[in-house]
Amino acid sequence: MSELISYQCELKDGIHARPAGHIERLCNSFQSNVRWKNIRTGLEGSAKSALSIVATDTLLNDRCEITLSGEDACDAAHQLSALLEKLPSFEVTQEEEPAAPAGYLPRSLRETQLSFIQGSRISGGVAIARPVIVQSLTLQEILARSPVQDHSAAQEKESVITGLEALKNEKVAALEMNNGVEHDIIQAHLSIITDAAFQSAITGFIHNGNNAWSAITLAAIEFCEILNRSSSKYIKERTLDVLDITSQLLMTLYGANALPQNNLELTEPSIILADNLTPSKFLGINKDWLAGLVLSSTGKTSHTAILARSLGIPTLTDINFSALNLHPQQDIIIDGNPGILITAPDARVLRYYRHEIAVQQQMQQQMLANVHQPAVTADGHGIEIAANIASLAEAVAAFDNGAEGVGLFRTEMSFMDRATPPDYAELAALYTHVMAHAAGKPVIFRTFDIGGDKPVDYLNIGDEENPFLGFRAVRTYRLYRDLFSMQLKAILTASAHGPAKIMIPMISNVDEVIWCREVLAAVMQDMDNAGLPYNDGIELGVMLEVPSVIFAIPEIAAYADFFSVGSNDLTQYFFAADRGNSQVADVYDNYAPSFLRAMQFAVEEVHRAGKWIGICGELGASQDFLPLFTGMGFDELSMSGTAIPGVEHALRELNFAKCQQLARHAVTLKRSAEVKAALQAPDVKQVSSKPILAPEFMLCGLQASDKNEVIKMMTDNLWLHHRTDNREQLCDDIWVREDSFSTAVGYGFAIPHTKSDHIRYSTISMATLDKPITWGDQQVETVFMLTVNKSADPNQHMKYFSVLARKLMKEEFRNEIKHADNVTVLYNLMTKTLDV
């Protein structure tokens, strides 16, 4: 029998390792031969080999013909067609940091007259450290090191089979111990190790008289040559994974010293410069001493780049450092924001960046200082700030960032990217570990949300024309009741160790909740019979994603203990607009008054029923919506762990009564644009204005070497005290005046000033310098800086400028300033002078 499938690729990055792995695993479950042909390239390969599929260079919109030959070809074609339709939903997009404006360097940085090499940012941040150069062997260089051995072809083949099996077992064991990005990379490497075409190519080279070393390396070279012919940079970057597996396999067969080992045992803060840093080498580096990375050609979507980004390590690529004369004892600098490498920083540049690192650390410490305090508004209204997680590692990080609980544990991640579902022991162990790290804080386990955009191979959900509106989440539980019951048992087991809660996704009517309650009761009975401990008062809640639930809250509340809005899906279903479809992005509108009225109605209905309601979608982390959701009365907001410190800080500045006024006003508006305007700069702070003068803006003995440092340090101080949210642009605005004319006014004084959109509260800052500096053509020892909000009285800054200028004409006033030796004296003097 023979079948033909016509397929057009819909994947943005083409058929790369991850989707090819899904295809390979499915095709290897069939007896039929499956051939994949890309019509555009004419390249053809076996669909039972992920590498062969990737080698066909199948990119977005390419048309392919897939031929199936064998007794089960008909069934195979049906299942493969269903998988191909689902491939876009398997894609997990790795978030990239927003790029800085092209070519933009802050004015304060440009003033240092630095010399730099432009690269591309993989991960932002600043690092100053000694360079460590890592030169990796190419596959050709590895081939040249092949040992001379006198073994038969059979012995060499047996050796390879043994090595592959040992490496496979090592990776399988590692899968159980890793989550998130590391788990995905190990899975991709496992796919290469078990790839039929890769193994066949090795065997072919052995039969042609090559030893195992040469055969493995030649097979790797062959596949990398095919990958490098792809027009997709994403697919080209998979060659690094092939190099990685080749090196690991050779060391498995020939010993750890078979290849030269780069010294990656760091003993001091270091910036590694590497041409080909494989993921396994990266994972082996002591991250305590890894300050940053410079990769000569590794792209942003390579697995090494993804790992660096996930760990927040400043990382650049697209820099050829082979010709650079780097001294191992001289510091270099990475600035990830503009993507630059500074190889020979002078004292001025080093001062700039050391100050910048210190300021960033101060802000981070400030954000983290109060994260373990209750999240309340300035007038005492509390909202629980919780975390969205998908793994134990994310749970640990979230609680370190001050999470008051877990509002959403995406448990389906444990069900994906595997051939069989997890068992009770695995889930119970994971959930119990999470509860241990929660240390008495609540954890909401969302039962598996499989189907729709998260299908799995081993559940035969079937082909659906519109999976988002089809057989997903709770709708699958009746068919897979045993799997649902097993997960409930695991959650109940964890509940014996802390306040675990259960949340059911995609509920659309009360009958579904009642049925889930019945299954939960049956599981509890089984656990009672077995003498297993659990919390018999465990709460069961529902996700509010389907709009019908909004109008069924009273009857559902009789069986549910809480509600949590999944804002991503609720918005999607509310407007019938696919959240991932850019063509309907303007329809998917969280600012729409109708959507906000639905949210407000849901809160009121839930509270009327005596239950609590939260938000666990992306909107929960939006500081634009924070005052609105606070005013609406949401009891909990759940978000990524990294967003928690900033949201908690912002919450503490809000006035609950003002937030309520904002919410009442927003739902009366008619258009999205009006809502956006209302949320742009609402009057919701506990303090809507701040004094223009405050002791924290009096700086005594400021250690600055030039005019640029003074302006930056004083602007940074405004940022640290939350007077500005954009210090770089505020600094640029101040320099606009300096470029027009020097603001040095004589007698050793300067008065830089600006009226700017980037200052939230008008402020007068003052600094006495530890030594005079050149400002224009004058020597300056004291600086007054006026930063006035554009909405302020148009004459305000000129009024203060004039007062200061007049006072500076008087020698008595100048002497008082020069002899003021502490902040208190300066502040009292300025208060009296400016009458504020």
Side-chain angles (χ1 to χ4, degrees):
M1 294 181 62
S2 179
E3 295 284 339
L4 179 66
I5 298 174
S6 293
Y7 167 69
Q8 185 166 13
C9 180
E10 299 176 358
L11 304 182
K12 181 186 65 161
D13 294 311
I15 302 290
H16 54 89
R18 185 182 178 91
H22 287 296
I23 296 167
E24 171 202 54
R25 286 192 289 274
L26 177 64
C27 289
N28 277 308
S29 68
F30 308 135
Q31 294 296 321
S32 292
N33 183 41
V34 188
R35 301 293 296 175
W36 183 292
K37 183 178 181 179
N38 184 337
I39 303 302
R40 175 181 62 85
T41 62
L43 297 173
E44 185 176 352
S46 170
K48 293 189 173 186
S49 161
L51 284 174
S52 291
I53 301 170
V54 172
T56 64
D57 194 20
T58 301
L59 306 181
L60 177 65
N61 294 325
D62 278 357
R63 291 189 306 106
C64 301
E65 289 182 350
I66 306 163
T67 307
L68 303 93
S69 305
E71 291 185 3
D72 58 356
C74 183
D75 181 49
H78 179 74
Q79 291 190 47
L80 181 55
S81 295
L83 173 63
L84 293 174
E85 285 197 21
K86 293 176 184 176
L87 281 183
S89 60
F90 279 95
E91 288 295 84
V92 178
T93 303
Q94 294 296 334
E95 290 186 8
E96 294 188 20
E97 298 182 351
Y104 174 76
L105 291 181
R107 175 61 183 267
S108 54
L109 178 56
R110 281 183 279 136
E111 283 293 314
T112 66
Q113 299 179 344
L114 76 167
S115 176
F116 61 88
I117 299 169
Q118 185 68 56
S120 300
R121 174 169 69 182
I122 286 177
S123 180
V126 175
I128 304 174
R130 306 282 171 84
V132 173
I133 297 177
V134 176
Q135 295 287 353
S136 301
L137 292 177
T138 65
L139 285 169
Q140 285 73 18
E141 290 169 334
I142 291 173
L143 180 62
R145 305 175 75 93
S146 177
V148 178
Q149 290 183 340
D150 188 19
H151 295 148
S152 68
Q155 288 174 310
E156 294 287 358
K157 183 178 177 182
E158 182 62 31
S159 174
V160 169
I161 291 171
T162 302
L164 285 167
E165 187 65 21
L167 193 56
K168 183 187 83 170
N169 291 336
E170 179 186 316
K171 297 297 180 186
V172 169
L175 278 178
E176 301 296 323
M177 300 170 60
N178 289 276
N179 297 288
V181 176
E182 293 186 18
H183 180 280
D184 292 343
I185 292 170
I186 294 167
Q187 182 72 61
H189 284 185
L190 186 59
S191 181
I192 296 173
I193 294 166
T194 59
D195 190 274
F198 185 48
Q199 295 182 12
S200 177
I202 295 171
T203 302
F205 282 114
I206 289 175
H207 287 160
N208 289 337
N210 294 282
N211 63 13
W213 181 294
S214 296
I216 292 166
T217 312
L218 286 167
I221 290 171
E222 186 177 85
F223 275 102
C224 286
E225 286 174 348
I226 296 171
L227 296 177
N228 277 321
R229 286 199 292 268
S230 173
S231 51
S232 165
K233 189 175 181 182
Y234 189 94
I235 290 176
K236 288 178 181 177
E237 287 167 2
R238 302 285 77 79
T239 59
L240 196 58
D241 296 296
V242 176
L243 172 62
D244 199 353
I245 289 302
T246 302
S247 301
Q248 292 180 55
L249 182 54
L250 291 176
M251 288 188 286
T252 300
L253 290 178
Y254 293 90
N257 296 320
L259 292 171
Q261 300 298 303
N262 287 298
N263 181 20
L264 295 180
E265 295 181 4
L266 307 178
T267 57
E268 63 177 352
S270 303
I271 293 173
I272 288 180
L273 297 95
D275 49 0
N276 287 309
L277 186 66
T278 62
S280 60
K281 284 184 179 178
F282 176 86
L283 290 172
I285 298 171
N286 182 350
K287 307 305 183 299
D288 292 337
W289 295 117
L290 182 59
L293 284 173
V294 178
L295 305 170
S296 61
S297 59
T298 297
K300 296 181 180 181
T301 56
S302 73
H303 283 145
T304 301
I306 292 168
L307 281 167
R309 192 181 303 120
S310 72
L311 295 173
I313 296 169
T315 305
L316 305 180
T317 189
D318 296 333
I319 291 179
N320 181 5
F321 53 81
S322 59
L324 299 179
N325 184 22
L326 299 177
H327 193 284
Q329 298 304 312
Q330 179 179 329
D331 283 337
I332 63 173
I333 300 173
I334 287 175
D335 187 344
N337 224 29
I340 60 176
L341 170 67
I342 305 164
T343 59
D346 61 17
R348 193 179 184 193
V349 173
L350 282 168
R351 280 175 61 88
Y352 175 94
Y353 277 109
R354 285 174 179 147
H355 170 75
E356 179 62 18
I357 289 173
V359 169
Q360 291 186 18
Q361 288 176 342
Q362 274 183 268
M363 179 60 83
Q364 185 179 26
Q365 290 166 4
Q366 190 184 120
M367 291 288 102
L368 292 173
N370 299 315
V371 293
H372 297 296
Q373 299 299 317
V376 295
T377 62
D379 52 342
H381 177 76
I383 300 179
E384 184 176 307
I385 305 298
N388 297 336
I389 67 168
S391 67
L392 177 61
E394 286 182 282
V396 174
F399 288 121
D400 287 344
N401 276 336
E404 297 180 311
V406 170
L408 172 63
F409 189 154
R410 298 184 179 95
T411 64
E412 60 273 4
M413 298 306 172
S414 298
F415 291 74
M416 299 174 70
D417 290 326
R418 55 196 299 162
T420 58
D423 59 19
Y424 161 74
E426 177 185 340
L427 294 185
L430 171 61
Y431 300 167
T432 300
H433 280 138
V434 170
M435 294 310 306
H437 281 286
K441 295 175 181 176
V443 176
I444 298 176
F445 294 88
R446 180 178 72 184
T447 52
F448 61 83
D449 184 3
I450 291 173
D453 60 338
K454 293 183 287 288
V456 297
D457 292 340
Y458 53 81
L459 296 184
N460 297 316
I461 290 177
D463 186 18
E464 294 184 288
E465 188 170 332
N466 192 336
F468 283 96
L469 297 180
F471 199 49
R472 63 172 286 201
V474 69
R475 301 170 184 183
T476 69
Y477 292 176
R478 291 180 188 270
L479 182 60
Y480 300 106
R481 176 168 176 158
D482 288 346
L483 194 61
F484 177 51
S485 296
M486 181 274 289
Q487 186 181 29
L488 290 178
K489 181 181 177 183
I491 298 171
L492 285 168
T493 299
S495 74
H497 302 272
K501 301 180 183 182
I502 300 166
M503 183 161 66
I504 311 296
M506 281 294 289
I507 288 291
S508 56
N509 59 65
V510 68
D511 291 330
E512 291 169 333
V513 186
I514 294 171
W515 183 83
C516 290
R517 277 282 186 196
E518 290 171 351
V519 177
L520 179 62
V523 175
M524 288 178 169
Q525 184 61 58
D526 289 343
M527 293 182 72
D528 287 336
N529 295 339
L532 297 175
Y534 65 91
N535 172 19
D536 60 3
I538 190 169
E539 292 186 16
L540 183 143
V542 302
M543 290 279 287
L544 202 168
E545 301 161 283
V546 181
S548 60
V549 172
I550 297 175
F551 304 100
I553 288 172
E555 54 264 38
I556 290 177
Y559 300 93
D561 299 302
F562 64 90
F563 293 76
S564 186
V565 173
S567 61
N568 303 345
D569 269 334
L570 179 60
T571 309
Q572 173 174 251
Y573 295 135
F574 192 85
F575 293 106
D578 182 353
R579 68 189 191 219
N581 187 336
S582 60
Q583 295 186 84
V584 293
D586 57 337
V587 181
Y588 182 97
D589 184 7
N590 294 128
Y591 292 91
S594 59
F595 176 73
L596 299 182
R597 286 193 283 271
M599 296 278 274
Q600 181 69 79
F601 179 77
V603 172
E604 292 169 355
E605 287 291 288
V606 170
H607 286 169
R608 189 175 290 112
K611 305 298 169 73
W612 68 266
I613 183 170
I615 298 177
C616 59
E618 292 177 7
L619 276 184
S622 170
Q623 293 200 25
D624 283 348
F625 281 87
L626 177 63
L628 182 62
F629 292 151
T630 300
M632 283 183 173
F634 279 96
D635 304 290
E636 177 226 51
L637 300 175
S638 192
M639 61 201 66
S640 69
T642 56
I644 289 173
V647 171
E648 287 189 347
H649 176 84
L651 180 67
R652 294 188 183 105
E653 291 188 330
L654 298 180
N655 174 277
F656 181 52
K658 290 183 178 181
C659 290
Q660 287 179 306
Q661 290 175 0
L662 173 68
R664 286 194 293 268
H665 173 62
V667 297
T668 65
L669 299 174
K670 307 301 182 186
R671 303 183 63 189
S672 299
E674 295 174 355
V675 173
K676 286 183 181 180
L679 299 185
Q680 192 65 37
D683 178 18
V684 290
K685 304 283 188 181
Q686 177 75 359
V687 178
S688 57
S689 63
K690 291 186 177 182
I692 196 167
L693 201 65
E696 55 265 32
F697 303 111
M698 305 290 108
L699 306 175
C700 280
L702 190 68
Q703 296 181 1
S705 62
D706 57 30
K707 168 182 176 178
N708 181 52
E709 283 191 8
V710 172
I711 293 174
K712 176 168 172 53
M713 288 178 173
M714 294 180 78
T715 307
D716 287 343
N717 189 52
L718 290 167
W719 182 61
L720 288 171
H721 289 93
H722 307 284
R723 295 281 175 119
T724 178
D725 293 324
N726 193 329
R727 58 195 170 119
E728 289 87 3
Q729 292 293 337
L730 178 61
C731 202
D732 286 357
D733 288 348
I734 292 169
W735 269 101
V736 169
R737 296 287 180 125
E738 295 297 326
D739 289 337
S740 301
F741 58 88
S742 171
T743 55
V745 294
Y747 306 106
F749 291 85
I751 312 178
H753 54 283
T754 187
K755 195 167 187 182
S756 171
D757 285 326
H758 303 293
I759 186 79
R760 289 174 58 189
Y761 304 100
S762 297
T763 309
I764 298 175
S765 305
M766 179 182 177
T768 60
L769 310 183
D770 71 330
K771 60 182 180 182
I773 61 168
T774 300
W775 198 292
D777 57 356
Q778 301 182 33
Q779 290 293 294
V780 165
E781 358 178 53
T782 305
V783 179
F784 300 96
M785 189 165 80
L786 310 182
T787 47
V788 179
N789 183 278
K790 273 196 174 177
S791 64
D793 180 345
N795 298 315
Q796 187 180 46
H797 77 291
M798 289 309 301
K799 164 192 166 186
Y800 291 121
F801 189 96
S802 299
V803 170
L804 284 172
R806 287 197 304 271
K807 294 292 287 186
L808 290 173
M809 298 293 291
K810 299 180 179 179
E811 184 176 4
E812 180 184 357
F813 177 72
R814 299 196 301 268
N815 288 333
E816 284 184 282
I817 289 177
K818 289 178 180 179
H819 291 101
D821 57 0
N822 62 65
V823 167
T824 302
V825 173
L826 273 179
Y827 175 66
N828 290 336
L829 175 61
M830 292 300 297
T831 302
K832 180 178 67 175
T833 299
L834 298 173
D835 191 25
V836 294

